[in-house]
Amino acid sequence: MNVEPPVRVEDKLYYNRYLVDIGHPHVKVRAHTTPSPQLLALLKACPARCYELNDDGQVEITVDGCIECGTCRVIAEPTGDIEWSHPRGGYGVLFKFG
Amino acid sequence: MIEERFDAIVVGAGMAGNAAALTMAKRGMKVLQLERGEYPGSKNVQGAILYADMLEKLVPEFREEAPLERHLIEQRFWMMDDRSHVGMHYRSDDFNEERPNRYTIIRAQFDKWFSSKVREAGATVLCETTVTELVRNERERIVGVRTDRRDGEIHADVVVLAEGVNGLLGTRAGLRARPTPDNVALAVKEMHFLPRETIEARFNLKGDEGVVIEAAGTISRGMTGMGFIYANKECISLGIGCLVADFQRTGQTPYGLLDQFKRHPSVAPLIAGSEVKEYSAHLIPEGGYKSIPQLYGEGWVVVGDAAQLNNAIHREGSNLAMTSGRIAAEAIGLVKSRGEPMSSTNLAIYKKMLDDSFVIKDLKKYKDLPPLMHTHSQNFFLTYPQLISKAMQNFVRVDGTPKAEKEKATLKSFAKARSWTGLFGDAYRFARAWR
Ligand SMILES: Cc1cc2nc3c(=O)[nH]c(=O)nc-3n(C[C@H](O)[C@H](O)[C@H](O)COP(=O)(O)OP(=O)(O)OC[C@H]3O[C@@H](n4cnc5c(N)ncnc54)[C@H](O)[C@@H]3O)c2cc1C
Ligand code: SF4
């Protein structure tokens, strides 16, 4: 299974309905110079690929596509690398099927 | 502050919260239920199989009213390697009964309906409201909640935490530990739409009959995990989940795994030509009996996934959630009927009643299985599926090799891959944990 076509997560997120709470991100990454192993793990483990590496090699998050699974919380909240809350009531992902 | 005082506040309108709110409202208690989603179900993800018995205890007439998809007449277990699967199918016309035992459902739609029953029973249900904090009095008793609405604090005699696996409130208040990467799995899932007739032809069904497929093997690339394919009326729920610790350790991506599962030659024909309408993800509690936290305290109880009440081996969760919600509500009702305070001592009856139910009995039976699966995941999810597939192929291929020679080759491949001590060790450990 080596010839694996790249998966476009953005296309998957496009199926979903969101009510983005502009200006109120519910997950934040703590400022850092070198990312911890936990933060680096989120680049792969987040099912919505919300975490990306910026040009300076730091981990950044864009929460717009977040499906609120909590995986990043379980991995990186204990180390203080991220702060995780639920979006404000009514905001965020809205599953039609679930 | 909302001046009104409630007998109970239920946080969450999932399976556990709805069962608890419904049960208390039916007993005439004054119940407030808070849900952060736009509507109940808008945040929830499930396979999903609904077990009728546990719902029947709450809403006896559900078969006439609830949005059900298909009743299950067949269960398939697949052991997969990269190109094949070895399957066990159980199909029985007995399941075409008057009151079917299991159904597939679509969670967002089901939860909306379930919640309508809670409202009918007289509970106040407020959606679009995230509870941000639990409120304590000077004696450390939980006496209410704070929300992100302007009204702020709301008070009640008891708070039922039905906030699901990723519940923040209980962990922030120090009532239980945060889930850890090795006691929760991450599942990703898609909804594939196809015409009804196509689904029925592909799965060999008629009318509202349904099939579920549970799959394990190389599809999880050596991680502890499982795939699933459930037939609904006009769509197929398809997903795969693995332990978060395994994702963290291996750097595999959840969507990569899902796409590989979809492209597997045994799976692809089932969903060919479908239109995908949703991509979702959710955690599943996998720690079993040993990870169940403290279940009650001064002014609070915890139910469902928030309490890790989930049987990952049997893929049961919503029925444990419903049952724990109902039992917690009955326990609260008992304390109230005696006119006693919702203290830790009085609420201990919830745990006692839960211990006597199938919920804790089942979880206790499998208490050693999750750790075994997790520490031996390479064997159970990679080596054995490959070996079994090879053995099957060897068995069915007719090529002039004498049967005795074939058997010898098969046995040798097992011994080579795992050594006899390894094989017996695994079998012994598995049997012990299953007991
Ligand atoms: C992919 C997948 C497949 C599954 N398949 C099956 C299956 O086939 N059969 C089965 O029985 N089980 C299955 N399960 C397990 C089942 O989904 C869960 O066990 C069940 O949903 C748990 O119910 P719950 O009420 O405890 O939590 P949930 O259903 O998760 O409900 C929690 C609710 O609380 C709300 N909430 C959380 N925090 C707050 C807050 N602070 N303020 C307000 N509201 C809040 C959430 O929005 C949510 O509505 C599956 C799970 C997954 C992820
Ligand atoms: S909650 Fe899940 S989807 Fe959202 S950022 Fe974290 S890992 Fe990604």
Side-chain angles (χ1 to χ4, degrees), chain A residues 98, chain B residues 45-49 105 107 189 191 228 230 232 237-238 315:
Chain B
V45 178
Q46 195 184 325
I49 304 175
I105 55 164
R107 257 312 278 278
K189 179 186 164 213
M191 291 300 258
F228 59 89
Y230 297 168
N232 301 316
S237 309
L238 176 150
R315 292 207 153 252

Side-chain angles (χ1 to χ4, degrees), chain B residues 30 52 99 259 293 320 331 387 426:
Chain B
K30 205 167 153 199
R99 305 158 77 77
D259 270 51
L320 279 65
L387 287 171
D426 286 345

Side-chain angles (χ1 to χ4, degrees), chain B residues 74-103:
Chain B
E74 181 172 334
Q75 173 104 28
R76 305 181 189 168
F77 299 99
W78 285 1
M79 179 73 98
M80 301 175 90
D81 78 353
D82 290 348
R83 300 178 49 76
S84 66
H85 75 264
V86 179
M88 189 182 93
H89 293 195
Y90 181 65
R91 182 179 175 113
S92 173
D93 198 36
D94 289 351
F95 291 127
N96 279 317
E97 57 207 325
E98 186 84 6
R99 305 158 77 77
N101 176 256
R102 300 184 307 158
Y103 295 88

